[in-house]
Amino acid sequence: MPVDSPAELEEILAYDTIAVVGCSSTPGKAAHDVPKYLLEHGYDVIPVNPFADEIFGRDVYDSLADVEAEIDVVCIFRPSDEVSEIVDAALERDDVAAIWTQQGIRDDEAAARAETDGRAVVQDQCMKVQHRRLVA
């Protein structure tokens, strides 16, 4: 069952490093503004987008597999039909504790696989909204 209680959401929001799959270089898009907000609130944001070289003055990685740093949370800004392969890539890593799909994005089968593998899953919720509500 995906995480939705305030206490469980706060636990995930207490992690430091967030890889944002689908991070955008275009201001005004949620996939840009939400990670920028997280960066401004102390998170180590790792942009993942095969079509960009730099976002927020940071190097951008083509895939989760290319990220050498430890990742606590994978935040997904891609269409629901792409979530399954992103979750599989996250499950290949031992360091990912949680997978978070942004508002309007969900894949129940992928979420179940992640939960079976011991990862926390948040679906169809905005990380910025939850941070403002529970932490800020």
Side-chain angles (χ1 to χ4, degrees):
M1 196 76 190
V3 169
D4 63 1
S5 77
E8 290 173 304
L9 291 170
E10 284 178 19
E11 280 183 37
I12 295 170
L13 291 168
Y15 286 112
D16 297 317
T17 306
I18 303 170
V20 180
V21 179
C23 191
S24 175
S25 59
T26 307
K29 291 181 96 174
H32 175 86
D33 295 347
V34 171
K36 182 179 180 195
Y37 168 90
L38 296 170
L39 188 62
E40 291 168 349
H41 284 82
Y43 291 95
D44 181 12
V45 173
I46 301 171
V48 179
N49 180 335
F51 304 106
D53 295 322
E54 178 189 354
I55 302 174
F56 314 126
R58 294 170 165 246
D59 289 336
V60 180
Y61 295 88
D62 288 345
S63 70
L64 288 173
D66 294 331
V67 178
E68 295 172 9
E70 296 273 320
I71 298 171
D72 298 319
V73 180
V74 172
C75 179
I76 301 174
F77 274 99
R78 298 298 305 148
S80 295
D81 63 354
E82 294 180 24
V83 168
S84 183
E85 70 181 59
I86 297 165
V87 167
D88 288 344
L91 296 180
E92 290 292 318
R93 301 181 62 104
D94 293 331
D95 53 353
V96 175
I99 298 166
W100 189 306
T101 65
Q102 282 294 124
Q103 195 164 2
I105 303 168
R106 70 180 306 119
D107 181 327
D108 293 336
E109 289 180 16
R113 285 198 314 275
E115 289 172 328
T116 298
D117 198 57
R119 318 302 172 99
V121 177
V122 178
Q123 290 200 100
D124 191 18
Q125 294 192 48
C126 179
M127 193 173 254
K128 177 180 174 180
V129 168
Q130 294 304 327
H131 183 272
R132 279 185 171 163
R133 181 174 77 97
L134 299 168
V135 179

